Amino acid sequence: MASEFLTLMDLRATLMPDGSPIKSYAELLAKENDILDDIPWTAGNLLTGDIHFKRTALPKAQIRRINQGFDSSKGAKESVTDTCVEIVSRMTVDMRELDLAPSPEQYLLSESKGHIAVMNEDVVTSFFYGADPEGIRGIAPRLGSLSHNQVINAGGTGKNLASVYIVKWDTDEITGIYPKNTKAGLEVFTKENEYVQDKDGKMFRAHVTEWSWFVGLKVRDERYLARLCNIDRDALLTGSNAQEARQDLFRKLIIAKNKIYHAEQGRVVMYADPEIFNILEIAAFEKANLALGYTDIESDRRVLKFAGIPIKRNDAQSIAEKKVA
């Protein structure tokens, strides 16, 4: 997918030289979850995040006649602060173990993958489900009521409920943020021959790596989001009317994607959990719905799309959601 925004890797490339360990870790972050390829990243205007203004009322326009004046008008706005949180992880590798490795640098990078994966999962999960009033406020809590204009009810009532989220990523409206005056919020600290304790409190020398990622989600205009909630996975997979339930899912997806403001412009992506993604992919394979299909990207990659919108599998959505009322 051509990128019109700065992704995490774009930022690292501009801020760090080739061969930088931070750049290598940014590559790992991007590889662990390709949702990071979708998200544009911008610096917040605060040391702790970003403060912006959300329009709550529009100004009024008036019809003016010749020789007749008109009143001034103004809209209304309220300030909103989206906060960055610090996600950290620490790795210790015995110096003797490192000395025995054929390539210490590659060994450390390999050992880092688990830590990077966990940090990545925490960020993506927070972007969708974060509910910390002093931290990241995710998409689901923002669209947490059926009274919200951007929420469509799929009608499920069981205990295995899910949502499909549609996001129009935009550097001004929906974007990942990092604190100002930082290098994309990602820092890596390393120290060799550091004395650390084992589980019994005994000391040994180790190579220590610590990761720190200051990250947040900025949402200025919720018209760039949509949520199809209360999808009953069991009804889609094993229910007696599974085929009918799937057709209803396709119809509701059309309604949900039409909620996105100017969906035909910009980077719009649909996110589904693994089970619903499988259902959509099978439907595309069976040509069960004309809106579903594949697009070749750079001749060696195929992307599943619904009505022209890319669909991505998001493991963070695997949890059973509470019913949205």
Side-chain angles (χ1 to χ4, degrees):
M1 180 187 298
S3 176
E4 65 273 34
F5 304 133
L6 286 177
T7 65
L8 183 65
M9 271 306 302
D10 294 331
L11 284 170
R12 301 318 307 178
T14 57
L15 294 173
M16 300 302 297
D18 288 340
S20 163
I22 297 180
K23 187 173 181 181
S24 297
Y25 294 131
E27 289 175 353
L28 277 178
L29 282 168
K31 288 178 181 178
E32 285 293 330
N33 195 321
D34 65 357
I35 290 176
L36 289 180
D37 288 337
D38 303 329
I39 303 172
W41 295 88
T42 57
N45 52 28
L46 301 174
L47 293 174
T48 55
D50 187 272
I51 184 169
H52 50 275
F53 292 91
K54 177 181 178 182
R55 189 178 297 278
T56 57
L58 294 170
K60 294 181 179 179
Q62 302 164 54
I63 296 175
R64 190 187 79 85
R65 295 179 174 85
I66 300 298
N67 296 322
Q68 184 180 48
F70 59 95
D71 298 324
S72 63
S73 68
K74 65 177 182 179
K77 297 179 180 179
E78 66 179 10
S79 64
V80 177
T81 300
D82 285 315
T83 305
C84 291
V85 300
E86 183 183 16
I87 296 177
V88 296
S89 188
R90 187 172 191 263
M91 177 182 74
T92 59
V93 177
D94 192 308
M95 287 300 301
R96 181 62 63 199
E97 183 180 4
L98 193 60
D99 291 340
L100 294 172
S103 172
E105 182 178 343
Q106 287 300 316
Y107 185 79
L108 286 173
L109 200 58
S110 176
E111 290 295 298
S112 300
K113 289 183 178 180
H115 296 265
I116 295 295
V118 169
M119 294 176 67
N120 195 318
E121 290 170 6
D122 285 350
V123 169
V124 174
T125 299
S126 295
F127 274 22
F128 281 87
Y129 296 109
D132 185 350
E134 297 181 356
I136 295 176
R137 187 167 177 239
I139 295 171
R142 295 174 193 266
L143 306 182
S145 170
L146 294 181
S147 63
H148 197 296
N149 185 61
Q150 300 302 108
V151 177
I152 302 298
N153 185 14
T157 58
K159 295 183 179 180
N160 190 17
L161 299 178
S163 293
V164 170
Y165 298 91
I166 308 174
V167 184
K168 179 180 175 182
W169 296 105
D170 183 275
T171 52
D172 291 324
E173 310 298 342
I174 312 287
T175 180
I177 54 173
Y178 53 90
K180 69 176 184 179
N181 301 331
T182 68
K183 294 181 177 180
L186 181 62
E187 299 292 341
V188 181
F189 307 93
T190 61
K191 190 170 183 180
E192 293 187 355
N193 290 308
E194 179 83 352
Y195 277 100
V196 298
Q197 291 183 340
D198 64 12
K199 60 182 178 61
D200 298 317
K202 297 179 180 180
M203 308 298 292
F204 67 96
R205 292 182 304 111
H207 184 288
V208 178
T209 306
E210 293 182 357
W211 294 270
S212 171
W213 193 6
F214 279 97
V215 63
L217 175 67
K218 172 182 173 180
V219 176
R220 192 167 74 169
D221 192 339
E222 291 180 351
R223 295 177 302 169
Y224 285 60
L225 299 171
R227 179 183 185 183
L228 175 57
C229 65
N230 298 335
I231 301 171
D232 190 330
R233 292 192 187 102
D234 294 335
L236 291 169
L237 294 169
T238 59
S240 57
N241 296 314
Q243 193 60 37
E244 181 180 339
R246 295 181 185 189
Q247 291 301 319
D248 186 61
L249 172 65
F250 301 147
R251 289 190 288 268
K252 295 288 178 61
L253 282 176
I254 291 174
I255 298 172
K257 67 97 175 172
N258 286 337
K259 288 285 186 179
I260 297 294
Y261 185 67
H262 289 170
E264 68 281 357
Q265 303 171 3
R267 183 189 301 170
V268 183
V269 186
M270 188 177 293
Y271 299 100
D273 70 82
E275 289 182 321
I276 293 178
F277 184 87
N278 285 339
I279 290 171
L280 295 173
E281 189 166 22
I282 290 170
F285 176 77
E286 295 176 344
K287 297 183 175 14
N289 187 283
L290 294 177
L292 278 165
Y294 292 94
T295 298
D296 290 330
I297 302 296
E298 298 176 357
S299 74
D300 61 351
R301 181 182 173 194
R302 304 192 78 197
V303 175
L304 182 65
K305 290 188 175 183
F306 181 83
I309 298 175
I311 308 169
K312 286 197 174 182
R313 164 181 165 157
N314 180 15
D315 290 347
Q317 294 173 230
S318 298
I319 63 171
E321 297 182 350
K322 293 181 180 179
K323 182 179 179 180
V324 179

